[in-house]
Amino acid sequence: MRKLVFVLICFCLIPFQSCDDGDIITIELDFGDTFESCGDKNLVLFKTKDDPSESLSLKLTKVTLDDLLQVDENGIFEMTYSVNTTNPFNYRTYSNTNLPSDLFCSDIPNSEVIITQDLQSLGGSADVKTVLTEDDNDGIPAILEDINNNGDLEDDDTDGDTIPNYIDADDDGDNILTKDEHPDINGDGDISDAQDTDGDGTPDYLDTDDDGDGTLTRDEEKEPQDENPANDITNSEIGPDYLNPEVKDVLPATAYRSHIILKTYVVSLILRDIDIQILAADVYDFGTLELSSEREGNPVFN
């Protein structure tokens, strides 16, 4: 859990707290490590909690979530926004026992929400950083797909289809997905014992001829051709022809299977020099927002 400690300097004129001048009260706001977002034209980054019901929110005017996802060639976006009247930061408390899901960004405010305290900072800054990570979800951690062992994942392309192995769902271009060639056969994170059907020292997920019969795996299909040798079976007791060295039927492949690349964005927010009347924090790690999507890879057949 992410904790924020605010120091309250209490004055006797404050109606909700009776104390002597100069008393200092420390309030601990215990929010989670993640935040949410909403807003089509004006982005609100917020986090809420119940018991007691509280919220922290930052409004970024004329900023959208898509703006924060415009990463550079290195998969990074960084921007510092000023906290001001246009981009206010708020701490609110509520009389509601539980807060509704439409607390922010609704065209019509929820009439059941009762705000008991609304403190706003009109100064400070907000550092936003987004990091994009792409993966092929093939069962092999990206770091283990550095075949050249040079720390550069971009130059590891076993099948030469222009898609690096770490985001290539079919590393060897045999039209059998890497995850289906059992690279981590016992799920222990060690790929040194990956499946090697023909025992030639090259694991199936990097072997273009899995059964060692001289016919490329991708060419061991029957009509109708569908770029999937796994469903072409002559002897059901042995399995697909591409794993049966006794079957060498050839139907030359003409294309690679399409590749799905998973995209994960992690947006982090750091607030600095926030000043909310009687609440103050020099630096506050607001947490992270994780978003996922996917794109289609376009392998070049060769």
Side-chain angles (χ1 to χ4, degrees):
M1 299 292 285
R2 195 176 301 278
K3 296 183 178 180
L4 171 63
V5 176
F6 283 131
V7 177
L8 281 68
I9 302 176
C10 179
F11 297 94
C12 60
L13 295 178
I14 299 175
F16 57 84
Q17 177 70 51
S18 175
C19 57
D20 297 328
D21 286 352
D23 285 354
I24 297 178
I25 301 174
T26 300
I27 289 183
E28 186 175 272
L29 300 178
D30 191 359
F31 287 82
D33 294 339
T34 61
F35 60 86
E36 301 177 68
S37 70
C38 65
D40 296 328
K41 297 180 180 179
N42 300 313
L43 182 64
V44 178
L45 307 178
F46 65 93
K47 56 202 315 182
T48 64
K49 64 182 290 289
D50 298 321
D51 192 28
S53 295
E54 301 169 321
S55 70
L56 294 172
S57 63
L58 173 68
K59 178 181 179 181
L60 298 177
T61 301
K62 295 184 179 179
V63 175
T64 67
L65 184 58
D66 284 342
D67 292 333
L68 306 190
L69 304 185
Q70 298 304 308
V71 298
D72 60 20
E73 64 275 8
N74 296 314
I76 296 175
F77 167 88
E78 291 184 281
M79 182 68 69
T80 295
Y81 299 93
S82 295
V83 177
N84 48 39
T85 54
T86 302
N87 301 325
F89 175 71
N90 289 78
Y91 162 67
R92 296 187 178 110
T93 61
Y94 308 83
S95 63
N96 305 68
T97 302
N98 300 105
L99 295 175
S101 59
D102 60 350
L103 183 63
F104 296 98
C105 302
S106 298
D107 293 334
I108 301 176
N110 190 322
S111 60
E112 297 179 358
V113 174
I114 301 176
I115 299 174
T116 57
Q117 185 176 206
D118 188 355
L119 303 178
Q120 186 175 86
S121 176
L122 300 179
S125 62
D127 297 338
V128 177
K129 181 176 182 179
T130 302
V131 177
L132 168 64
T133 301
E134 293 190 311
D135 191 20
D136 51 15
N137 196 32
D138 64 358
I140 305 176
I143 193 172
L144 297 182
E145 301 208 59
D146 182 9
I147 307 298
N148 297 326
N149 294 314
N150 61 0
D152 183 6
L153 294 175
E154 296 297 330
D155 65 357
D156 296 282
D157 181 9
T158 299
D159 56 11
D161 66 353
T162 73
I163 299 179
N165 288 3
Y166 80 99
I167 52 174
D168 192 341
D170 178 12
D171 293 326
D172 56 6
D174 63 0
N175 280 336
I176 302 296
L177 298 181
T178 293
K179 66 180 181 180
D180 295 331
E181 297 194 87
H182 309 295
D184 185 7
I185 199 164
N186 55 9
D188 63 356
D190 180 6
I191 60 174
S192 64
D193 57 356
Q195 176 176 292
D196 180 9
T197 299
D198 57 10
D200 65 353
T202 300
D204 286 359
Y205 77 94
L206 296 177
D207 194 340
T208 56
D209 179 9
D210 293 317
D211 58 7
D213 64 358
T215 300
L216 294 178
T217 293
R218 73 184 190 186
D219 294 338
E220 295 207 52
E221 282 203 84
K222 294 179 171 60
E223 294 285 2
Q225 193 174 47
D226 61 358
E227 287 80 47
N228 183 15
N231 58 20
D232 294 284
I233 303 173
T234 298
N235 185 335
S236 60
E237 293 184 2
I238 296 179
D241 293 349
Y242 80 93
L243 295 178
N244 184 351
E246 300 303 318
V247 179
K248 302 179 182 182
D249 295 340
V250 177
L251 180 59
T254 60
Y256 288 136
R257 295 174 67 173
S258 62
H259 297 171
I260 297 299
I261 299 172
L262 302 180
K263 305 172 66 175
T264 301
Y265 295 90
V266 177
V267 183
S268 59
L269 171 60
I270 301 292
L271 294 163
R272 303 182 187 277
D273 302 319
I274 297 301
D275 187 6
I276 310 181
Q277 297 176 4
I278 57 175
L279 301 179
D282 292 335
V283 178
Y284 176 44
D285 185 347
F286 198 73
T288 59
L289 169 67
E290 183 172 312
L291 304 165
S292 298
S293 63
E294 60 183 36
R295 68 181 175 91
E296 184 174 354
N298 295 300
V300 176
F301 184 76
N302 56 70

